[in-house]
Amino acid sequence: MLELSDAQIGGWVASFLLPLFRVGALLMVMPVIGTAIVSTRVRLFLTIAITLAIVPVLPPSPEFDALSLQGLLYIAQEILIGAVMGFSLQLFFHLFVVAGQIIAIQMGLGFASMIDPTNGISVPVIGQFLTMLTTLLFFSMNGHLVVFEVLVESFTTMPSGNGGLLTDQFWLLANRLGWVMGAGLLVALPAITALLVINIAFGVMTRAAPQLNIFSIGFPMTLVMGMIIFWIGMADILSQYQRFSSEALSWLGELVRAR
């Protein structure tokens, strides 16, 4: 008859439980998978499946009592690590949302908004378009596989039960918040510059011919020219995505290796 000791059962539970919480926290926070469009049950099944697949190649986890204070601290630490990784990916996706909002406001299309099904908030149509485009590019270029590779590597660089206080990770994450605004502005810069020239031209026309109704002419022209400029700018969106996605994924690797 097979007999199992408490130590053996505790070791098996620890080897599965801690990676489960880190993987689950990442999937609950990361873009697309962690949004409302994917049900909680599906995310739970993905968490269990990914954990079962990666546990055999992970370094051994410390043995602990799951109901003790030490066990709760280990679990909280794993949740924080996974959440920080997922939030860093959210920053990458939101830079395109920021770019879309800047372009929409500049071209006078800021009033045209729709409900974002992933976040449940109202966003400009251009920002939602860039979000969907970024999502398709992310999965078509296997960005999710790179994220899972970094996740598996994080168990070596930040072992379960030995992740420290995550002070360096939170500091790097806080410094990255300014990167979102700068990158979003860089993506929208060509459209902003072109629309600024158009607005200056309308200002000169109004100065030269005060009787001209600039509101009845300028607003439709700015809107139409803004759409044309945005369409032309889509020719360079792939190179911009590759640049910022490479930077974001490499930074994600640096995040889990920070000490």
Side-chain angles (χ1 to χ4, degrees):
M1 183 175 178
L2 180 62
E3 295 183 359
L4 298 176
S5 63
D6 294 339
Q8 291 176 321
I9 296 176
W12 289 345
V13 170
S15 63
F16 178 79
L17 190 62
L18 293 181
L20 178 70
F21 278 100
R22 185 180 298 195
V23 174
L26 173 64
L27 295 183
M28 291 296 175
V29 179
M30 72 176 295
V32 185
I33 298 177
T35 58
I37 60 177
V38 179
S39 65
T40 306
R41 182 175 299 178
V42 173
R43 278 179 278 177
L44 179 60
F45 289 155
L46 284 175
T47 300
I48 296 174
I50 294 174
T51 305
L52 290 175
I54 66 175
V55 160
V57 299
L58 298 182
S61 300
E63 296 184 4
F64 66 95
D65 184 2
L67 299 180
S68 64
L69 179 60
Q70 184 184 22
L72 295 178
L73 291 176
Y74 284 166
I75 292 173
Q77 189 177 79
E78 296 301 306
I79 293 175
L80 283 175
I81 294 174
V84 167
M85 294 176 63
F87 186 72
S88 65
L89 292 174
Q90 289 281 5
L91 294 179
F92 164 65
F93 273 71
H94 277 76
L95 77 87
F96 291 95
V97 177
V98 171
Q101 290 176 343
I102 295 174
I103 296 173
I105 293 173
Q106 189 70 19
M107 65 188 292
L109 202 61
F111 64 89
S113 60
M114 62 180 294
I115 297 298
D116 184 2
T118 60
N119 299 314
I121 59 176
S122 180
V123 296
V125 176
I126 294 181
Q128 182 64 15
F129 172 77
L130 290 177
T131 301
M132 293 187 293
L133 181 61
T134 304
T135 302
L136 293 175
L137 290 174
F138 182 77
F139 283 100
S140 63
M141 295 184 177
N142 295 327
H144 58 294
L145 299 182
V146 178
V147 173
F148 293 146
E149 181 181 358
V150 174
L151 173 65
V152 174
E153 183 183 356
S154 69
F155 287 96
T156 303
T157 58
M158 300 182 67
S160 299
N162 192 27
L165 298 177
L166 302 176
T167 305
D168 295 335
Q169 283 71 25
F170 283 117
W171 177 252
L172 289 174
L173 194 62
N175 291 337
R176 209 62 175 181
L177 295 176
W179 174 80
V180 176
M181 292 299 300
L185 184 60
L186 189 60
V187 172
L189 189 59
I192 293 175
T193 304
L195 290 171
L196 180 61
V197 173
I198 294 173
N199 290 329
I200 292 175
F202 280 121
V204 173
M205 292 171 57
T206 305
R207 187 68 175 177
Q211 67 276 13
L212 183 65
N213 190 352
I214 193 62
F215 293 102
S216 61
I217 299 176
F219 181 75
M221 284 296 296
T222 303
L223 188 59
V224 172
M225 292 303 298
M227 294 300 296
I228 295 174
I229 293 169
F230 180 72
W231 173 63
I232 296 173
M234 284 294 98
D236 192 46
I237 193 65
L238 181 59
S239 61
Q240 291 178 336
Y241 170 81
Q242 290 176 337
R243 173 187 174 184
F244 291 120
S245 63
S246 300
E247 186 176 351
L249 292 175
S250 63
W251 176 71
L252 178 64
E254 295 174 3
L255 184 69
V256 298
R257 288 193 294 266
R259 286 294 178 182

